[in-house]
Amino acid sequence: MSHSSKIRRLSSGQRILTGISVVAILTLGLFGASTLLNSSNTASALRGHPEVLRPGCTWDQSGYFVQNCKVWSESQQRDVIVQIRASSGSDSGVYLLDGMRASETRSAWTTDVQAARVYDAKADTTLVMPVGGASSFYTDWDGGAGDNNTVIKQETFLTSELPAYLEKEFGVARNNNAIVGLSMSGGPAVTLAERHPEQFKVVQAMSGYYQTDNPIGALGVFATQSLVSNYVSGVVNMWGAPGGDRWTDNDPSKNVGKLAENGQVLIISSGNGFLTPSEMAKLAPQDQISAIALEILSAVSTVLMQLQAKQSGASVISLPNYGGHTWENWGRALGDGKGHVLEALRNNPPVTEKTTVVSASGSPDPEGPAKVTMAAKNAATASPALDASVLAALQSTDASSASSGTPAASESAASSEASGSAAPSTGDVSASVPAAPESAAAESAAPAEESAPEESAAASTTKPTIPQLAPTGPARSDGSVPSTTTTTTPGR
């Protein structure tokens, strides 16, 4: 009896010890598993923390927590080196494009200008400095470049592939960014902002060339590509023959009105062409001549761009500057524009959706905004369309009136109008155009039967941007109005 009691006492103690052991093991196991999971997913959810090296990146020799990261470009089938300095905790980013002699190993924003020192930790924004892109004009080329027929899809990389990487590894938002360009990249930076307002709230351009869709501008592009990168056929392979639609689409001065439509900010500057003593001390005599000539040409283009931007109603901040076509000039401009860039990132709301008209094939209709606006204006002056049920009732009334000799309903309405009494409304017109501001809410599309056959298939799709009433365009000679339907696609 005592022997069995002893066994029971030992069993009870063993049960207690076993329970404690199980709890301890489970606790340690859960702790280890969570640590492992957190360590493997840190980069995908990490925002800020510039001191943390992301997977696949190495520290740059310039310091200031700049990382050299290889980003895969599916469109170009190669890795692109991007030098990145993480923010202190915000989701904003500042893209810094290089000049026409961009190196394939490091960005000049880390070699010639310490951008990470200008935008220090207090700036609290991620710096994004793509490496390479010499003579590329940071655009998507129609054909190959150079003897190797190199594929250049810079716009695709900068606005689709790179943002996805930055969002995953550095926590950078896709709609809270600025873009900065200089010299060759000054105009393309403006163009990228104009074409992708959902990504860039503000653009800063230094010593750029903005009027490219003309013989002189095309000659400048040809000279840049042939002399620097030996892209003799680049002027054609990039956007096709000069004077075509692609040249117009990528001319920042001809599309500057988009900045006003989207509420974006343009910060612009150039030197005066007179070299400072420090610039003269750093440059060889032949380089001094080119630094003077290039900056004078840029100054002329910059003044024209300032006038064009002001006339379009865009928000323009002109920074006074001096000096030649040098990195000393651009480093100074980067610091002078920093406050304006950060203010726009903090205060400007993200660009949202805007409705545009596309053709039946799905391609953008260049006359879409004008057609939509004209449809609304014509509908405002047109008599309201009747519901199908009302029309059927009127037709039956007309038939019975014709057989009985009594006046038809339409004749009664006409006599009523002649006597000064208004006929009651018999139906509502459902607008077929995109939603407009409240002041234009009463404007609706004309009846479908008035639409021209070739335009009745037009549809509207949405791209990210601030909702605005499209600008007025000329009326069609036949007075017809395009019919549109609205479909929504998710913004990038």
Side-chain angles (χ1 to χ4, degrees), residues 210-221 242-243 247 251 253-254:
Y210 309 100
Q211 298 78 22
T212 52
D213 186 22
N214 60 63
I216 297 178
L219 182 61
V221 172
W247 284 80
D251 185 312
S253 69
K254 291 188 175 180

Side-chain angles (χ1 to χ4, degrees), residues 97-273:
L97 305 184
D98 215 328
M100 72 176 177
R101 290 187 172 88
S103 167
E104 291 297 322
T105 57
R106 298 177 68 207
S107 169
W109 289 109
T110 63
T111 59
D112 294 76
V113 172
Q114 295 292 340
R117 183 171 61 181
V118 177
Y119 278 82
D120 57 14
K122 294 180 180 179
D124 193 17
T125 187
T126 297
L127 296 185
V128 182
M129 298 166 281
V131 174
S135 305
S136 69
F137 285 81
Y138 292 96
T139 186
D140 283 0
W141 285 41
D142 293 342
D147 296 336
N148 296 328
N149 205 35
T150 303
V151 175
I152 297 179
K153 298 294 181 183
Q154 287 280 1
E155 181 176 359
T156 297
F157 177 72
L158 293 171
T159 61
S160 178
E161 296 165 346
L162 181 54
Y165 172 84
L166 293 172
E167 183 179 52
K168 177 184 176 183
E169 303 293 352
F170 289 85
V172 178
R174 300 195 186 202
N175 62 351
N176 192 23
N177 299 281
I179 187 167
V180 179
L182 61 101
S183 188
M184 177 208 72
S185 66
V190 178
T191 295
L192 287 169
E194 293 168 345
R195 292 166 65 91
H196 301 276
E198 77 286 355
Q199 183 177 359
F200 302 112
K201 294 179 178 180
V202 53
V203 52
Q204 182 177 2
M206 317 167 187
S207 304
Y209 305 95
Y210 309 100
Q211 298 78 22
T212 52
D213 186 22
N214 60 63
I216 297 178
L219 182 61
V221 172
F222 172 77
T224 297
Q225 294 174 337
S226 58
L227 295 177
V228 176
S229 300
N230 197 31
Y231 294 159
V232 178
S233 60
V235 73
V236 175
N237 287 5
M238 186 168 68
W239 295 326
D245 292 341
R246 287 271 283 148
W247 284 80
T248 302
D249 292 343
N250 287 279
D251 185 312
S253 69
K254 291 188 175 180
N255 299 285
V256 69
K258 294 180 180 179
L259 299 179
E261 292 178 12
N262 298 318
Q264 296 162 287
V265 178
L266 169 63
I267 304 169
I268 193 168
S269 66
S270 73
N272 54 17

